[in-house]
Amino acid sequence: MSPLRVPLLAILVSVALCQYYDYEYAPAAPPEPPRPRCHQECDCPFTFPTAMYCDSRNLKYVPIVPTGIKYLYLQNNQIEEIKAGVFDNVTADLRWLVLDHNQLTNGKIEKGTIDKLSALEKLFFSYNNITEPIIPSSKSLDEIRMTHNKLTKFPSGLLSDKENLTTVNVQNNQLTSESISGAFKGSKKLLSLDVSHNKLKKLPAGVPSSLEVLYADYNDIDSIGSGYLNKLPALQYLRISHNKLVDSGIPAGVFNVSSLVELDLSFNKLQSIPEINEQLEQLYLQANEISKINLASFCKYITPMSFSHLRHLRLDGNNVTHNSFPVNYSECLRVASDIMFE
């Protein structure tokens, strides 16, 4: 082959290859959607651009939230007020609002701010100074935490349209039984309610039948309404420790419901063991004034198929010992692996 023909052949091959690659060339990737702007006081991670972190920055106000932000973290600041307009860009977009550990009061939260958030799912408002709950308009709300505030009332009707609400935690406030009467009606999917460390004299009325967890520790409850638990067929965990329960305040069979898995009646003033259902697995009775044990409290009948499913029983801090049990107790409590006296 002539030396002149070699460069010519190379050129022809190159042109052919270029034509081939031009034919198969993939179009350029579409440009990424614009990232939400971030307030200068905060951080919006590249890997999580819809979240704005403004926590632990000594802020005294809520900054204006840019369009596109869905998750806003403002905990551990010194925020005293929420001014009008700060959420105007995200009223239909914000999903999470975290305001724990600040200095907010009701009087300095402008109308048209939190109450206008129509897509909010989680509102964390613990460790502030509010006296009445602030509830957003969102029907998607599924969790409210307002612990360690100064709540004195929870008006009826605030949650009437919150059909997706599953969790309400208002422990460590100053709520009374009257101030929360009817507060939780309408929340048809409510699963967990914590009203411990308040000033209740009875268990909350009007809670939905969907409830699975009810914590009412550290209150002033001295009695249980007859048939109260029959209205809560899904209830599995009930804690009423550190109250003022006495035998006369517990109607016969009030705790004899098959749904309960755990019942905590510790640190009260009971002198006898109340009747429980055979399906109960954990019973806490420590630090009462119990002086006698009746197997009928655990088992109505003892047969090969009828016995208590109790696994853990605490009786320490009472006036009973292992010798206080009838001789045949093991036939009733046959699966109990942990019975505590000391």
Side-chain angles (χ1 to χ4, degrees), residues 52 96 102 149 181 289 309:
M52 191 163 83
W96 289 24
N102 279 288
N149 274 280
S181 179
E289 300 171 5
H309 289 74

Side-chain angles (χ1 to χ4, degrees), residues 40-300:
Q40 61 183 4
E41 297 274 6
C42 310
D43 290 326
C44 301
F46 181 81
T47 55
F48 195 13
T50 57
M52 191 163 83
Y53 291 87
C54 311
D55 53 303
S56 306
R57 295 160 198 266
N58 294 317
L59 298 180
K60 293 188 177 181
Y61 62 92
V62 174
I64 295 176
V65 185
T67 302
I69 296 298
K70 296 181 179 180
Y71 307 93
L72 180 59
Y73 302 89
L74 290 160
Q75 68 271 25
N76 299 313
N77 280 293
Q78 300 174 26
I79 297 172
E80 299 178 350
E81 61 181 334
I82 301 178
K83 296 181 179 180
V86 295
F87 298 129
D88 282 0
N89 296 320
V90 291
T91 53
D93 298 314
L94 197 64
R95 301 291 190 271
W96 289 24
L97 177 57
V98 184
L99 284 162
D100 296 342
H101 292 276
N102 279 288
Q103 300 172 20
L104 285 162
T105 58
N106 290 79
K108 291 195 174 182
I109 300 175
E110 294 283 351
K111 290 185 178 180
T113 54
I114 291 177
D115 52 306
K116 294 295 185 181
L117 297 175
S118 61
L120 203 66
E121 297 170 358
K122 298 185 185 297
L123 177 58
F124 297 157
F125 214 110
S126 299
Y127 293 92
N128 279 280
N129 298 309
I130 59 171
T131 56
E132 187 174 340
I134 298 98
I135 304 298
S137 61
S138 173
K139 293 185 178 180
S140 301
L141 193 67
D142 66 49
E143 185 173 5
I144 299 172
R145 294 185 183 273
M146 294 183 178
T147 74
H148 297 86
N149 274 280
K150 298 179 180 178
L151 296 179
T152 57
K153 58 182 177 179
F154 203 120
S156 179
L158 283 182
L159 305 178
S160 60
D161 63 342
K162 309 305 179 192
E163 296 185 354
N164 292 300
L165 190 63
T166 62
T167 304
V168 175
N169 191 335
V170 288
Q171 70 174 38
N172 283 93
N173 279 286
Q174 300 172 25
L175 296 168
T176 64
S177 297
E178 294 75 21
S179 68
I180 62 171
S181 179
F184 309 108
K185 289 181 179 179
S187 305
K188 299 178 181 179
K189 295 182 181 179
L190 190 64
L191 300 178
S192 178
L193 174 61
D194 190 339
V195 291
S196 56
H197 290 269
N198 276 286
K199 297 181 178 181
L200 307 185
K201 291 187 177 180
K202 57 184 179 180
L203 291 174
V207 293
S209 60
S210 58
L211 202 67
E212 296 180 0
V213 178
L214 175 56
Y215 293 161
D217 310 294
Y218 292 92
N219 278 286
D220 297 320
I221 299 170
D222 57 10
S223 63
I224 308 297
S226 179
Y228 182 88
L229 299 187
N230 291 332
K231 299 175 183 178
L232 302 174
L235 192 66
Q236 298 181 48
Y237 302 91
L238 176 60
R239 295 182 181 176
I240 323 176
S241 71
H242 295 270
N243 276 282
K244 299 177 180 179
L245 289 172
V246 294
D247 288 7
S248 60
I250 299 181
V254 70
F255 296 123
N256 188 5
V257 291
S258 60
S259 63
L260 276 185
V261 174
E262 176 186 297
L263 176 60
D264 189 349
L265 301 173
S266 60
F267 293 90
N268 278 285
K269 298 180 179 181
L270 301 177
Q271 295 182 336
S272 60
I273 300 174
E275 178 187 350
I276 61 170
N277 192 272
E278 293 178 351
Q279 299 302 315
L280 191 72
E281 296 182 8
Q282 301 179 54
L283 177 59
Y284 301 96
L285 289 164
Q286 68 269 27
N288 274 281
E289 300 171 5
I290 297 170
S291 56
K292 59 182 179 180
I293 297 176
N294 187 345
L295 278 187
S297 298
F298 308 105
C299 298
K300 282 189 175 180

